[in-house]
Amino acid sequence: MEKILLKNIDKPDSQDIETYISGGGYKALEKALSMKPEDIIAEVKKSKLIGRGGAGFPTGLKWEFTRKEKGEPKYVVCNADEGEPGTFKDRVILNKDPHLLLESIIICGYAVGAEKGFIYIRGEYFEEINTLKKAIEQAKAKKMLGENILGSDFSFDIQIFKGAGAYVCGEETSLFESMGGGRATSREKPPFPTQFGVYGKPTVINNVETLSNVPSIILNGGDWYSQIGSPDSPGPKLFCLSGHVNKPGVYELPLGTSLKELVETYGGGVKGRFKAVLPGGVSSSFLDTLDVKLDYKSVMEAGSMLGSAAVIIMNSDTDMVNVCKNIMEFFAHESCGHCVPCREGTRRAREIFALFANGEGKAEYLDTLLDLKDTMYDTSRCGLGQAALNAGASAVKLFRDEFTKRIKK
Amino acid sequence: MEKMVTLTINGEQVTVPEGTTIMDAAKKAYINIPHLCFLEGLQAEGACRVCVVEVEGEPRLVPSCMREVHEGMKVYTHSERVRKARRMIVELLLANHPTDCFTCERNQICELLKLAYELGIDKIRFDAKKPQYELDETSPAVIRNPNKCVLCGRCIRVCHDVQTVRVIGFINRGSDTKVATYLEKGLGNVPCTNCGQCIHACPVGAIKEKSYVDEVWAAIADPEKHVVVQEAPAIRAALGEELGLPPGTLVAGKMHAALRRLGFDMVFDTNFAADLTIMEEGSELVGRITGKIKKPLPQFTSCSPGWIKFMEHFYPDLMDHVSSCKSPQQMFGPLAKTYYAEKAGIDPAKIVSVSIMPCTAKKYEAQRPEMNDSGFRDVDYVLTTRELARMIKEAGIDFANLPDEPAEPLMGVYTGAGTIFGATGGVMEAALRTAYKLVTGKELEKIDIEPVRGMDGVKTATVDVNGLEVKVAVAHGLGNARKLLDEVREGKSPYHFIEIMACPGGCIGGGGQPISFDMPLRKMRCDVLYKEDKQLPYRRSHENPSIKKLYEDYLKEPLSEKSHHLLHTEYTRREIGG
Ligand SMILES: Cc1cc2nc3c(=O)[nH]c(=O)nc-3n(C[C@H](O)[C@H](O)[C@H](O)COP(=O)(O)O)c2cc1C
Ligand code: SF4
Ligand code: SF4
Ligand code: SF4
């Protein structure tokens, strides 16, 4: 497949606006500015693009909701926090093709009627922050950004916002809180970001990768886009392949590509014998097969979720109990601590996995963990707590004997 | 007109105004949804998730305290899924909670224990490590035990939203989350007002008053000591709640009787000192209005030590507006060790002065370094209503059946004006009754000043005093006080006299009262005092025969030199940082 998201990254000076323009860059912006905002949104809806940040919400709908909100001003926030372990895809775009992202944000701003965009970027991405700053300057100099963009009466500004450094800051409502200067804890939804986002105003929040699809949709049309890959969730996707594979890395493939193909054709095969995979990072459930198509629906039907597509492969040497212990340590540390099921649930699960890891488990704990997972999913306020025990509970189900072996006699 | 919404709750149809939460709508279907972090009167927070319910079509359970109803919504408040989740959540809370319920303050009234019982939790499936935090004992009034904290955030919301003091907040994240003061300096080292409203908000035993019960028992047991006791107006309106009597019962007489039976040597009454405060403060007000006293108007009341500390930290520029009068407790203190000591021929060094207060801030006030005008610590120990109730229980006193007894007359006779001090607006009303007489020489005809009564956050009234329209305002709760104070700061305040009480409802809602953040209950306590006011033989402070005697025999007249020495004070500028 011809690359859409990563098509520019191997060009020399790919970050430079001249390189970008000579490859057809900012043409989509020009076209978009000649369209009615509603028609842009219609095109994005037609494309069936859904969010790549993890939650998988239809992007066109999100834009439409925001456009229809009465509150003013409206904002676009690009989520570049990329805090999920095993996720390193946005970074490639931020680093190598910053103008693709800027163009996308500006189009989004025009479509939803926003006057300002923010890029909330992971604080540790120093180089990427500099690259973006430079790109913003260049775009302003070329009238792609700022007052009266390309001679139109649309004005738009983009500001970089450095992240507060916690995983939960990537969660949209915590992100807004942290931008507002508050403690990074989530907000209750509803109200949704489209109604009450950053600074309490209607806000579109999209992931870097999600937005980066937009210029090609504008140039080629939603219908064209919707034909790529899986019919339910079409489009290209950046897969972050890591773990026990020979060639870890970021691969752009159409959604619906089989996991086997990703691992064997692109990832150079499993190192050792395959045992398990987390298709959507540490928030997803383990699968013990490579026979699954990598699109949102298929992965869900297989019992997990694609999330941001951090595909983590584990071979037969892997100690699942230890993996669970490490994952729970991550979540117990990263929980914002606001709601009981997540704060208390992650810390108790961490204790239990640590006991098993020491050979001090108890048989009853296994069912307790499964019950705990249900409650955490059902009652936690944000996605962090809702998903924190997915991996752990699925390991208990799929690899129960590894746990029963560690029960204290 | 309000838009109405119809939904079904457990199959029962209910119609409620748009914007109603599921939790409130459920009451219409005769369901009280269990909850923990929700507290009526505070903003909902959705932190504990105990109040979750099932809503048809939703992927997950939703917190009923925050989710608003919509047309056609189908809610299930106690389905299998809901019950399982609630039990798990409470189990998680219990797993992290110390198990020393036997020795906990909130034994019998703990909301967590009640939830555990009501939700039928019969086992805890986790063997958890319990938290091991240090207690915050830096304050002379309010102690925090973070180990018992369930992180509901109710104290924080009270301190921020109701009191606008904002000295506590969440710090850290995940399992390390806790409630703390700025830089973990401790409540004693930050601008905490010691109001104790956070104690009322707390569902468990994580915040309490610093107790001096054992010190008081020791003084009573010491034959060398002569222990005198005073009780604030608000005690008699609430003490019965702790001792098996229905809310709204006036227990002044039983209170005096119980104190005698506990072994106090001399039972006086703070209400007497409240009348004295009115004599002094009313005279000061007249002085300011006539220009004899060169201090600005409006004059602020000064009997709420929580408010005083708040002013010292946040409005020190308005210090000159504050009456120089000490609070009734601190007027009583030096008089007990001078006037009474002389009259009774007792060595003041042997007197131990105890006060029973509805207030945690009074514990702090008694320890202020300047409060030693008698040559001794003016008030030695301050106990809250709750601490007194504990002593009465410990002694096995059959409180409900005690006879009614008066306090000792020398410093125990009081008027209706003194008793209403405990209710928001009461000081104002009492002061007007006397100030009117001081200015006009005549008695105020309409003695019940209704506009300053009741639970509105800010109340105002105008009283015609000899042709002068005296404008007054009353605020209770420090958030409400800010509204009046900011007006003064901007030079826009039209008032002559402003009453401020730190606690919502006034002293009857003080941090030392029986645990409750229920405003209707606080209103009921106010009504007890207004009822007593009506029943008393005298209703104006200047009519109090014991006060007249005090002036004749000892102080001479209001604002006399002796009064100034014993009954008036000065304030201290304090930093906002600590
Ligand atoms: C704990 C947590 C962390 C998240 N971190 C990120 C992140 O780093 N980047 C991101 O784009 N979305 C993240 N999300 C998802 C966002 O909340 C949000 O759904 C997303 O930014 C929406 O954009 P999209 O519709 O383009 O996917 C996170 C969600 C949760 C619950
Ligand atoms: S689920 Fe976890 S991270 Fe999210 S609000 Fe609750 S405690 Fe915070
Ligand atoms: S005593 Fe009052 S001021 Fe101090 S922390 Fe509690 S609520 Fe805040
Ligand atoms: S101290 Fe009490 S009120 Fe404050 S958060 Fe803890 S449990 Fe809640």
Side-chain angles (χ1 to χ4, degrees):
Chain A
M1 186 197 79
E2 206 186 310
K3 290 204 171 113
I4 293 171
L5 299 165
L6 302 184
K7 67 171 186 231
N8 293 328
I9 63 162
D10 293 327
K11 296 180 183 166
D13 287 331
S14 63
Q15 299 104 326
D16 195 76
I17 196 162
E18 298 298 347
T19 320
Y20 186 65
I21 291 176
S22 67
Y26 287 112
K27 279 267 177 287
L29 175 59
E30 214 179 304
K31 180 170 176 192
L33 290 175
S34 71
M35 294 166 71
K36 282 208 299 239
E38 289 78 5
D39 295 342
I40 298 176
I41 293 175
E43 243 11 89
V44 176
K45 279 170 79 178
K46 236 189 268 170
S47 76
K48 298 204 219 157
L49 171 64
I50 66 175
R52 307 296 198 231
F57 190 82
T59 305
L61 219 50
K62 200 183 257 190
W63 290 19
E64 184 170 70
F65 289 155
T66 309
R67 170 138 201 106
K68 287 189 173 155
E69 276 297 321
K70 293 212 174 54
E72 289 288 340
K74 291 171 183 159
Y75 296 111
V76 179
V77 175
C78 169
N79 191 341
D81 200 44
E82 194 152 69
E84 170 113 9
T87 312
F88 36 82
K89 61 186 180 65
D90 297 341
R91 179 170 210 170
V92 179
I93 295 173
L94 293 165
N95 210 351
K96 296 288 184 193
D97 204 359
H99 287 286
L100 174 64
L101 181 60
L102 296 185
E103 183 178 14
S104 310
I105 296 173
I106 302 164
I107 295 172
C108 175
Y110 175 70
V112 304
E115 59 185 45
K116 187 153 187 187
F118 297 94
I119 302 174
Y120 186 97
I121 183 165
R122 183 180 174 136
E124 294 97 319
Y125 280 3
F126 301 110
E127 225 179 287
E128 289 74 7
I129 292 170
N130 282 334
T131 308
L132 275 177
K133 278 189 186 153
K134 240 183 257 160
I136 289 174
E137 286 313 311
Q138 287 183 332
K140 280 188 178 156
K142 291 249 182 223
K143 295 291 258 172
M144 305 292 182
L145 200 54
E147 299 289 313
N148 303 96
I149 293 175
L150 293 173
S152 70
D153 33 357
F154 175 60
S155 302
F156 190 77
D157 189 24
I158 296 180
Q159 191 184 327
I160 297 172
F161 208 103
K162 267 191 259 174
Y167 170 51
V168 75
C169 291
E171 190 279 326
E172 52 198 22
T173 61
S174 313
L175 185 152
F176 299 146
E177 284 295 308
S178 113
M179 280 181 72
R183 242 173 94 73
T185 61
S186 73
R187 301 173 182 164
E188 193 70 37
K189 291 187 280 194
F192 295 100
T194 50
Q195 308 163 289
F196 188 88
V198 70
Y199 310 130
K201 299 296 177 191
T203 302
V204 166
I205 177 162
N206 273 132
N207 171 254
V208 172
E209 183 189 348
T210 314
L211 287 165
S212 300
N213 285 285
V214 168
S216 65
I217 294 173
I218 298 298
L219 288 175
N220 305 305
D223 284 332
W224 165 83
Y225 186 93
S226 71
Q227 302 305 311
I228 302 169
S230 159
D232 296 309
S233 48
K237 177 82 194 81
L238 300 180
F239 294 97
C240 302
L241 186 61
S242 69
H244 298 133
V245 286
N246 288 311
K247 278 166 55 195
V250 181
Y251 298 99
E252 176 178 345
L253 298 168
L255 281 161
T257 304
S258 84
L259 175 58
K260 201 178 216 131
E261 189 183 347
L262 171 68
V263 171
E264 286 173 3
T265 312
Y266 297 90
V270 179
K271 264 193 203 159
R273 228 178 62 237
F274 171 77
K275 180 173 187 179
V277 57
L278 288 171
V282 294
S283 299
S284 65
S285 300
F286 286 104
L287 298 178
D288 58 357
T289 172
L290 290 173
D291 274 328
V292 57
K293 281 211 259 166
L294 294 175
D295 61 71
Y296 294 90
K297 194 165 159 218
S298 305
V299 178
M300 183 113 64
E301 282 167 359
S304 186
M305 62 179 194
L306 189 55
S308 58
V311 182
I312 307 172
I313 304 289
M314 272 146 263
N315 70 16
S316 54
D317 296 337
T318 313
D319 175 352
M320 298 311 280
V321 176
N322 256 326
V323 171
C324 290
K325 180 184 142 217
N326 292 338
I327 292 177
M328 280 332 288
E329 262 164 21
F330 170 76
F331 282 116
H333 184 254
E334 294 297 337
S335 159
C336 81
H338 179 88
C339 67
V340 174
C342 172
R343 182 187 69 236
E344 302 299 328
T346 52
R347 89 162 111 191
R348 295 293 84 95
R350 172 182 62 186
E351 275 171 2
I352 291 176
F353 285 123
L355 284 175
F356 277 100
N358 282 340
E360 292 170 7
K362 280 196 206 170
E364 313 84 271
Y365 280 156
L366 296 177
D367 289 336
T368 304
L369 282 171
L370 299 182
D371 279 353
L372 179 59
K373 181 225 156 192
D374 288 345
T375 296
M376 286 173 66
Y377 166 79
D378 234 358
T379 63
S380 292
R381 179 148 91 178
C382 85
L384 190 150
Q386 289 158 10
L389 204 43
N390 280 345
S394 63
V396 168
K397 282 192 207 148
L398 289 174
F399 306 103
R400 199 170 177 107
D401 56 322
E402 288 189 40
F403 288 87
T404 46
K405 271 195 301 215
R406 313 277 190 94
I407 288 172
K408 194 171 183 175
K409 302 269 155 33
Chain B
M1 216 188 71
E2 244 176 356
K3 207 174 142 207
M4 301 302 281
V5 172
T6 300
L7 67 156
T8 66
I9 294 179
N10 308 325
E12 184 164 348
Q13 217 175 48
V14 297
T15 300
V16 293
E18 193 175 30
T20 304
T21 62
I22 296 176
M23 185 182 277
D24 283 339
K27 290 180 190 147
K28 284 231 164 171
Y30 309 100
I31 299 286
N32 290 319
I33 297 176
H35 55 264
L36 185 65
C37 74
F38 176 83
L39 181 62
E40 193 72 54
L42 299 180
Q43 207 156 43
E45 179 90 32
C48 72
R49 319 307 272 187
V50 170
C51 73
V52 288
V53 297
E54 197 169 339
V55 173
E56 215 169 272
E58 292 269 348
R60 276 176 283 275
L61 302 179
V62 307
S64 61
C65 68
M66 297 199 80
R67 182 63 69 89
E68 291 178 4
V69 298
H70 60 73
E71 188 63 38
M73 194 181 221
K74 290 197 171 68
V75 178
Y76 302 93
T77 61
H78 50 274
S79 62
E80 166 99 17
R81 189 171 151 208
V82 168
R83 282 184 284 110
K84 269 184 80 172
R86 275 193 201 139
R87 280 193 187 184
M88 175 60 86
I89 288 166
V90 174
E91 238 180 278
L92 285 169
L93 284 168
L94 294 170
N96 202 51
H97 202 82
T99 47
D100 54 354
C101 302
F102 291 157
T103 51
C104 181
E105 284 263 312
R106 298 290 176 99
N107 187 328
Q108 315 284 327
I109 56 166
C110 172
E111 288 181 41
L112 181 60
L113 217 53
K114 185 162 165 269
L115 262 182
Y117 174 72
E118 289 178 355
L119 297 187
I121 290 172
D122 53 6
K123 60 184 178 305
I124 298 168
R125 287 168 286 176
F126 306 93
D127 307 291
K129 278 203 212 89
K130 308 280 180 184
Q132 299 279 341
Y133 294 117
E134 262 180 54
L135 307 200
D136 176 1
E137 299 186 279
T138 53
S139 156
V142 180
I143 293 182
R144 293 193 58 255
N145 180 351
N147 297 312
K148 291 188 181 177
C149 174
V150 295
L151 301 171
C152 66
R154 281 162 40 165
C155 56
I156 298 174
R157 279 173 276 156
V158 162
C159 191
H160 286 237
D161 303 343
V162 178
Q163 297 298 62
T164 62
V165 178
R166 307 186 182 102
V167 289
I168 44 177
F170 286 120
I171 61 163
N172 304 339
R173 66 168 193 254
S175 341
D176 296 327
T177 306
K178 61 175 176 173
V179 177
T181 56
Y182 175 64
L183 294 178
E184 299 198 63
K185 286 175 168 199
L187 282 178
N189 303 313
V190 294
C192 167
T193 66
N194 305 302
C195 71
Q197 290 306 304
C198 50
I199 300 178
H200 288 301
C202 186
V204 294
I207 325 180
K208 60 178 182 182
E209 73 271 62
K210 186 169 171 67
S211 177
Y212 296 91
V213 165
D214 288 340
E215 285 80 353
V216 171
W217 276 129
I220 289 174
D222 185 344
E224 288 297 302
K225 300 288 186 208
H226 182 79
V227 190
V228 303
V229 64
Q230 56 164 322
E231 320 78 45
I235 314 299
R236 66 210 73 209
L239 179 62
E241 294 167 27
E242 292 272 306
L243 296 163
L245 292 167
T249 311
L250 173 68
V251 296
K254 293 186 197 303
M255 171 182 79
H256 298 136
L259 289 165
R260 286 207 179 88
R261 282 159 184 80
L262 284 174
F264 286 97
D265 296 303
M266 197 46 66
V267 178
F268 290 132
D269 201 313
T270 313
N271 283 14
F272 160 84
D275 280 330
L276 178 61
T277 303
I278 287 303
M279 298 304 294
E280 296 288 327
E281 194 161 339
S283 305
E284 182 182 349
L285 177 65
V286 172
R288 288 192 195 219
I289 291 177
T290 56
K292 277 210 196 87
I293 294 176
K294 299 268 171 284
K295 279 190 176 177
L297 290 168
Q299 172 174 306
F300 297 143
T301 59
S302 57
C303 37
S304 164
W307 140 240
I308 291 300
K309 189 153 183 278
F310 179 77
M311 177 278 296
E312 290 175 326
H313 285 292
F314 299 100
Y315 292 88
D317 48 313
L318 303 186
M319 200 173 273
D320 284 346
H321 288 268
V322 184
S323 162
S324 62
C325 290
K326 290 181 185 172
S327 70
Q329 161 177 285
Q330 295 302 142
M331 289 203 175
F332 183 100
L335 286 178
K337 292 191 180 181
T338 56
Y339 174 61
Y340 166 66
E342 278 173 36
K343 287 262 179 204
I346 297 175
D347 174 5
K350 291 194 171 154
I351 295 180
V352 175
S353 177
V354 176
S355 80
I356 314 293
M357 291 288 138
C359 178
T360 38
K362 287 256 162 42
K363 288 179 186 265
Y364 168 84
E365 183 188 36
Q367 296 193 4
R368 292 175 69 116
E370 67 272 22
M371 294 296 173
N372 60 354
D373 289 329
S374 59
F376 303 90
R377 190 96 306 253
D378 292 334
V379 174
D380 295 288
Y381 302 114
V382 178
L383 302 182
T384 61
T385 316
R386 297 188 294 268
E387 288 173 279
L388 173 61
R390 254 174 263 144
M391 289 179 77
I392 293 172
K393 286 177 196 163
E394 187 178 357
I397 291 170
D398 179 8
F399 188 79
N401 292 309
L402 281 175
D404 285 342
E405 293 178 6
E408 299 298 331
L410 185 75
M411 291 172 63
V413 171
Y414 61 92
T415 72
T419 214
I420 60 174
F421 252 63
T424 163
V427 177
M428 177 60 66
E429 187 168 340
L432 288 172
R433 289 179 191 177
T434 289
Y436 191 89
K437 164 83 181 195
L438 291 175
V439 174
T440 64
K442 287 184 289 204
E443 298 296 355
L444 183 66
E445 283 299 312
K446 230 185 131 302
I447 196 168
D448 294 327
I449 307 175
E450 296 289 345
V452 297
R453 297 185 180 185
M455 295 295 281
D456 289 346
V458 174
K459 296 167 282 188
T460 60
T462 307
V463 181
D464 180 350
V465 183
N466 237 7
L468 174 70
E469 301 263 283
V470 176
K471 285 186 173 13
V472 302
V474 171
H476 54 122
L478 294 169
N480 291 323
R482 272 190 196 270
K483 297 174 195 160
L484 293 174
L485 295 167
D486 289 339
E487 269 181 14
V488 178
R489 195 173 252 177
E490 289 161 23
K492 288 191 203 142
S493 180
Y495 304 109
H496 295 92
F497 193 27
I498 293 179
E499 175 198 299
I500 293 176
M501 294 292 158
C503 295
C507 304
I508 49 81
Q513 291 283 68
I515 299 296
S516 169
F517 197 67
D518 183 44
M519 293 306 141
L521 173 66
R522 292 190 184 185
K523 165 86 170 51
M524 215 192 267
R525 292 174 185 163
C526 290
D527 293 341
V528 171
L529 298 179
Y530 290 120
K531 217 167 102 195
E532 192 191 23
D533 171 32
K534 278 216 158 72
Q535 293 164 0
L536 287 167
Y538 305 106
R539 296 186 63 193
R540 299 170 178 91
S541 298
H542 52 275
E543 295 170 346
N544 183 331
S546 293
I547 293 287
K548 288 185 188 159
K549 185 174 163 57
L550 170 66
Y551 278 112
E552 275 163 30
D553 293 1
Y554 198 67
L555 296 173
K556 306 297 175 240
E557 58 181 14
L559 308 182
S560 71
E561 206 183 311
K562 198 152 207 155
S563 293
H564 265 295
H565 175 57
L566 295 176
L567 310 181
H568 291 254
T569 188
E570 284 171 356
Y571 306 108
T572 311
R573 263 173 195 277
R574 296 178 202 273
E575 297 298 315
I576 294 186

